[in-house]
Amino acid sequence: MNAEQKNLEFYFDRYPEVPFEVIIKEDLLRLGIKFTDAAMEAAKGCRLKSYFLFSYDRIAHDEMGKDETYRVPEDIVFSGGPYGLRKTVVRVSVGGETPYLIDARDGNIVLYEGEKKIAEVEYPTIPEYYSQKLEDGTGYGQMIPLLFGRQAFATINRTCSNWSTGDECLFCDINANLRDLKKRKGGTQADHVVYDTVKDPEKIATVLEGMHKSMFVDNKESLANRMVCFIMTAGTIKTKLKGMTANEFHLSFVNAIRGRIGNRTPIALIVDPGSKEDVKRLYEAGVTSYNPNYEVWDKKLFKTLCPGKEKNIGRDEWIRRTIEAVDIFGDGRVSPNYVAGVEMAQPYGFKDVDQAIASLREGLDFFMSHGVVPHPDSWCIEPLSALGGHPVLPLDYYIKADQAWYETWLKYDLPPNPGWGPIGNGRGVYGNSAFVDMREKR
């Protein structure tokens, strides 16, 4: 596979039908970003990385020579520059070998590709609710960080039980990331990082209630403060947790939340697919978007890259339950994640970009023809995962993957999933992939 880095304008010319913002965003996710000291100084007082789930970094914490772990923003918005870019939000991935640099000069924060200015950058402000604390002193922002300015996220169980048997997904670093963060506790760190393994439902509900109240100014809802959704996830629970089955555990949070804030804010639940009865209980309790992540479509790759999911449930049953959930939630409200790029994980996967995209399209077409709207996260090759150190993939893959998603979505005329916000160039609020930033051909 050829992942040789060419400059952005090469890809702008190669894919004239794709928004510049999509190409830039995917390359930032693919390669990561470096920050100058001035850029990190400028981030003081901003919403910083919380490491709420995975590391989402291209290099390990130990390789960060400037203590970037606690000094860089959670996400950024880039816009303007020589290409007149529309505002686009992207997750910050700290990079090592990357041409992308953020610097602060003369009061401006700027994104560079090598020596060339690409865009102006905005750092995320700290929302008002971050200043509030629970009775035990835990900050609200520690319990539920805000992502991309509009999405709240809580990892209610920060470990996956597949790791205990060596059956974790090969691209995942959830348990390793938590261990690594805990190892640093007591050293140089910031108070916005929390290490609780299992969250408390009432505390989560209290924080969401505070967030909900902060959405209103003079008794009117502020669009700028409105949460697009609340995303809730937990690592796989094979038996019981806190004396509860996996479904009972998730329901304890949904019931607590709906009891505090009603049904207005969508809840997107990321979970292993359960029985039809379990799914009905989640729907009736108030889950809006059901997300049993299938990760990769290819049958052989699913077995290899997701051994725990294959052993616990199996690919065919995973897919059957996912399709079945549409009868309960409706078109567009079942949105499993797939990790865009792992089709090319070596030595297991495709070596050719177009073959990998063909497999991806097959899965997208199957799911969307059944009313399921999958959503991608662009593969961040995290060092502490089993695939850490894997060579970076070609940018062509990520561009074609976003095209495949968007074209299939238009083909089946499906609604946007309420868990991931609006779709469209300059409108997307999801930072883990540029599929939300696509637009129809001009």
Side-chain angles (χ1 to χ4, degrees), residues 229-232 254 257-258 265-269 286-290:
C229 66
F230 170 57
I231 304 171
M232 188 164 63
V254 179
I257 291 164
R258 290 306 187 204
T265 300
I267 295 177
L269 178 63
V287 173
T288 317
S289 174
Y290 185 68

Side-chain angles (χ1 to χ4, degrees), residues 65-362:
K66 300 178 181 179
D67 205 22
E68 289 95 332
T69 301
Y70 306 111
R71 298 179 65 199
V72 300
E74 184 85 74
D75 40 71
I76 61 168
V77 174
F78 64 83
S79 63
Y83 306 110
L85 303 170
R86 297 185 183 189
K87 286 193 173 185
T88 305
V89 64
V90 61
R91 183 196 74 232
V92 166
S93 177
V94 179
E97 295 298 321
T98 175
Y100 296 107
L101 177 76
I102 291 180
D103 195 8
R105 303 177 185 177
D106 302 321
N108 298 314
I109 305 172
V110 178
L111 172 66
Y112 293 88
E113 181 196 20
E115 296 297 319
K116 183 175 182 178
K117 175 181 175 180
I118 297 298
E120 284 85 34
V121 170
E122 297 174 41
Y123 285 165
T125 57
I126 297 179
E128 183 274 333
Y129 81 91
Y130 268 46
S131 64
Q132 301 178 59
K133 293 183 182 295
L134 295 166
E135 290 184 359
D136 63 5
T138 303
Y140 277 21
Q142 294 178 332
M143 293 294 292
I144 305 179
L146 191 68
L147 309 180
F148 320 127
R150 302 285 299 280
Q151 293 177 317
F153 198 108
T155 309
I156 56 177
N157 172 36
R158 291 199 60 161
T159 59
C160 171
S161 59
N162 285 326
W163 284 68
S164 63
T165 54
D167 293 321
E168 68 270 17
C169 295
L170 303 192
F171 47 79
C172 174
D173 76 343
I174 181 172
N175 288 36
N177 179 50
L178 181 62
R179 286 196 298 266
D180 196 46
L181 289 170
K182 284 185 172 181
K183 187 172 65 177
R184 294 162 199 286
K185 195 168 186 178
T188 303
Q189 61 171 324
D191 62 7
H192 67 283
V193 179
V194 67
Y195 301 96
D196 292 345
T197 302
V198 182
K199 301 290 195 303
D200 177 85
E202 291 303 323
K203 290 181 179 179
I204 289 291
T206 297
V207 174
L208 273 175
E209 185 177 30
M211 295 178 70
H212 188 71
K213 290 177 179 177
S214 72
M215 290 159 46
F216 295 85
V217 178
D218 298 328
N219 294 320
K220 294 182 179 179
E221 187 180 39
S222 167
L223 177 62
N225 295 335
R226 190 179 74 198
M227 282 184 287
V228 169
C229 66
F230 170 57
I231 304 171
M232 188 164 63
T233 189
T236 291
I237 303 166
K238 289 184 182 179
T239 53
K240 289 189 176 183
L241 183 63
K242 299 287 185 180
M244 294 177 279
T245 65
N247 209 55
E248 291 167 343
F249 179 73
H250 293 119
L251 280 168
S252 70
F253 287 86
V254 179
N255 290 329
I257 291 164
R258 290 306 187 204
R260 296 288 189 94
I261 69 171
N263 290 313
R264 185 171 185 182
T265 300
I267 295 177
L269 178 63
I270 302 171
V271 64
D272 289 357
S275 68
K276 195 167 188 176
E277 291 71 26
D278 282 346
V279 176
K280 282 182 179 178
R281 290 179 67 193
L282 292 170
Y283 174 76
E284 291 167 356
V287 173
T288 317
S289 174
Y290 185 68
N291 301 267
N293 298 344
Y294 71 91
E295 316 297 12
V296 63
W297 172 252
D298 183 84
K299 192 168 187 175
K300 290 182 180 179
L301 286 175
F302 183 91
K303 291 181 179 180
T304 301
L305 300 179
C306 309
K309 294 188 174 189
E310 176 64 24
K311 289 180 181 179
N312 300 338
I313 296 175
R315 175 184 178 273
D316 292 346
E317 180 65 9
W318 195 288
I319 292 171
R320 189 195 68 78
R321 294 182 187 181
T322 300
I323 298 300
E324 184 178 71
V326 179
D327 293 336
I328 297 167
F329 280 88
D331 284 357
R333 290 175 174 259
V334 178
S335 181
N337 171 269
Y338 59 94
V339 183
V342 294
E343 297 92 350
M344 300 190 73
Q346 298 304 306
Y348 318 105
F350 300 97
K351 293 181 170 62
D352 178 77
V353 167
D354 289 335
Q355 289 178 353
I357 295 298
S359 175
L360 173 66
R361 278 187 180 274
E362 181 182 290

Side-chain angles (χ1 to χ4, degrees), residues 18-19 21-23 25-26 29 78 86-91 148 151 228-229 231 335 338 368 373-378 398-399 401-407 409 415-440:
V18 177
E21 295 87 347
V22 168
I23 295 172
K25 181 173 177 176
E26 290 293 5
L29 291 169
F78 64 83
R86 297 185 183 189
K87 286 193 173 185
T88 305
V89 64
V90 61
R91 183 196 74 232
F148 320 127
Q151 293 177 317
V228 169
C229 66
I231 304 171
S335 181
Y338 59 94
M368 291 197 196
V373 180
H375 70 275
D377 276 1
S378 297
Y398 295 102
I399 297 170
D402 289 332
Q403 287 179 298
W405 184 93
Y406 193 65
E407 289 166 3
W409 182 65
N417 183 273
W420 311 103
I423 304 296
N425 193 225
R427 298 185 66 241
V429 297
Y430 188 60
N432 288 343
S433 168
F435 79 103
V436 295
D437 306 290
M438 289 292 291
R439 64 163 179 258
E440 293 189 58

